[in-house]
Amino acid sequence: MTNFISDNTFKYVNNFFNKKPKVAVVLGSGVKALEGLDNEAKLPYSEIPDFPRSTVAGHDGVISVGEYQGTSVAVLRGRFHKYEGHNWKNVISPVFLMQELGVTHIILTNAAGGINRVYTPGDLMLIEDHVNFHQMDKDERKALYQLIKEPRAASFYDSELNHLAKQAAKESKVTLHEGIYLSLPGPSYETRAEILAFRKMNIDAVGMSTAPEAIWAKAMGMKVIGISCITNSTYYENAMSETSHEEVVMVAKKASQDIDTLLKSVISKI
Ligand code: HPA
């Protein structure tokens, strides 16, 4: 028990589902996948005592628990960002809750802008490592230090699981880049100058989530995978403004199908 979420929160969710999920999947903005699990039960965040509320469009704010091919899975549709005004405990609360429910493997997905020139909207990227631009306030830093005791250079993303994800992508014929994700606090998207700088820093994709959750999930002993859905290219010549609505809809649909296929394949291998 961590005491990062209230007893009321844990008891309510634990009693509601009465299951011990092994794998948790956090779905980022507009990422639609893993609909219709076997024996699925759904709990809106708004019904959970002392739990934060999603305020971002494209985030449903629902936890589903069910099975996929016999593996017990929790799917979190919606997360909390610092740019919404949430403090660090709110941002990490889905991870804390999953840990207390007994989850051992967490798959963090997000919508991200492609910095790598090769990436096009609709592509998927396995996060092999991240650069984290989120400030920790002193309470968060202290709580994290108390948990890990001994700071060490670390990869937050599990190499065995990454290997498994690459295998899953190959078998299910889904193209999966591997790259470095930059997590920014937002709320603005990047300036042209920032994009040029990030490209020089070997950043492949940029977004506003995932890194803080990955850091805490790893500190709590969970195995972490990160997957970015490239929703827009930050490359000037084919920027979003020049893309038609039909293309955007097609991109979103293809990316959702691919991530659904990939997630199912990964879960069946865990
Ligand atoms: N920048 C930051 N966050 C994002 C982007 C982007 O281009 N696309 C989706 N989330």
Side-chain angles (χ1 to χ4, degrees), residues 29 111-114 181-182 184 188-190 206-208 229 231-234:
S29 316
Y181 174 79
L182 168 65
L184 296 174
S188 303
Y189 278 11
E190 306 66 49
V206 60
M208 300 176 193
C229 285
T231 52
N232 58 291
S233 172
T234 59

